């Protein structure tokens, strides 16, 4: 994702402190995203919306799941494959 790419750019110009800081932020963002948005109801995708009261709204948004995969959000190969299987099956909970 962007933060990891920016960290690589900082590394390339010799700013190791900046690179390390950006990688740490990237890890925190990925961990938070995964922790808060991985569906516990159907553990094969990221939910569409997390509300301030902790409730969720889920349209099984394939685009956002593919973006999460492209940015390396899933913490494990198994979780990434579960999301890819869900996307590949084309199951939609809303018709």
């Amino acid at each position: 994702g962007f933060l990891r790419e920016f960290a690589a750019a900082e590394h390339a110009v010799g700013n190791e402190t900046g690179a390390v800081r950006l990688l740490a932020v990237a890890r925190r963002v990925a961990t938070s995203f995964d922790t808060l948005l991985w569906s516990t109801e159907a553990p094969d995708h990221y939910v569409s919306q997390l509300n301030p009261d902790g409730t969720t709204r889920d349209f099984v948004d394939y685009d956002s799941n593919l973006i999460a995969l492209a940015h390396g959000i899933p913490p494990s190969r198994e979780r990434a494959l579960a999301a890819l299987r869900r996307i590949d099956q084309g199951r939609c909970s809303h018709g």
Side-chain angles (χ1 to χ4, degrees):
F2 172 77
L3 292 170
R4 290 183 184 114
E5 291 173 7
F6 195 27
E10 291 290 355
H11 173 73
V13 298
N15 184 0
E16 290 305 318
T17 303
V20 168
R21 189 178 5 219
L22 286 167
L23 287 174
V25 171
R27 281 191 296 275
R28 284 195 310 272
V29 168
T31 298
S32 296
F33 187 102
D34 182 72
T35 300
L36 295 170
L37 296 177
W38 186 251
S39 175
T40 55
E41 186 177 309
D44 59 3
H45 68 283
Y46 290 101
V47 299
S48 305
Q49 178 177 322
L50 174 63
N51 301 313
D53 65 1
T55 61
T56 59
R57 192 161 179 198
D58 193 8
F59 298 108
V60 189
D61 184 340
Y62 296 128
D63 292 345
S64 63
N65 276 268
L66 286 169
I67 291 167
L69 291 165
H71 286 277
I73 299 296
S76 68
R77 177 176 167 81
E78 293 78 22
R79 188 164 282 191
L81 289 173
L84 286 170
R85 280 191 297 273
R86 173 70 181 246
I87 292 164
D88 191 44
Q89 291 174 1
R91 289 183 288 160
C92 180
S93 60
H94 299 285

